[in-house]
Amino acid sequence: MEDIDADFVKKVKEGEIMVAGKNFGCGSSREHAPIAIKASGISCVIASTFARIFYRNALNIGLAILECEEAAEDIKDGDEVKVDFDTGIITNVTTGKTYQAQPFPPFIQNIITKGGLLNSIKDRL
């Protein structure tokens, strides 16, 4: 994130939501990118679209992600945002505007809740 915001690591707080544009995660073919985002404290990434390999890696490590072009375009830095993962509703608390993303099915929500694919499998054994 240094290229976009050199102070990102100093400003990010546990539980914050990252909002990005199109093809987020492009060029990241390993799980290190979503791991670093999750380790920084980010609880969810909302983007117009995700690079497919990033999308799969994010789910595998339990990083919540949602695709919603309108939210990605409208939400500004500093806005307070809440997400209802059951319905896919994204609320910009700052402006009062809501957006509809496609919610994940329960089995994907379980992977995210358990902190990743491996953790969700361990619970079944």
Side-chain angles (χ1 to χ4, degrees):
M1 300 307 297
E2 285 181 355
D3 291 342
I4 296 170
D5 184 353
D7 293 327
F8 173 81
V9 72
K10 297 173 191 167
K11 295 189 301 187
V12 70
K13 295 178 186 85
E14 189 73 29
E16 288 194 321
I17 295 172
M18 178 183 282
V19 180
K22 294 181 185 205
N23 206 23
F24 184 78
C26 178
S28 170
S29 64
R30 295 184 289 163
E31 63 278 352
H32 295 91
I35 286 172
I37 291 169
K38 187 176 176 182
S40 76
I42 298 293
S43 63
C44 177
V45 180
I46 299 167
S48 298
T49 59
F50 290 93
R52 292 296 103 188
I53 192 81
F54 180 91
Y55 185 94
R56 188 68 237 167
N57 285 335
L59 294 179
N60 283 343
I61 61 112
L63 175 63
I65 56 174
L66 291 171
E67 288 184 337
C68 183
E69 187 167 0
E70 187 181 10
E73 291 175 359
D74 285 354
I75 296 170
K76 305 294 182 237
D77 190 24
D79 286 354
E80 182 182 346
V81 177
K82 293 190 179 199
V83 176
D84 182 329
F85 292 103
D86 292 330
T87 63
I89 293 175
I90 301 164
T91 303
N92 184 332
V93 177
T94 304
T95 65
K97 191 165 182 183
T98 60
Y99 313 91
Q100 182 65 60
Q102 183 68 36
F104 284 117
F107 79 96
I108 299 279
Q109 287 187 35
N110 183 56
I111 291 171
I112 293 167
T113 301
K114 299 289 183 183
L117 181 60
L118 292 178
N119 290 337
S120 71
I121 293 170
K122 287 177 190 174
D123 283 353
R124 287 193 243 168
L125 300 177

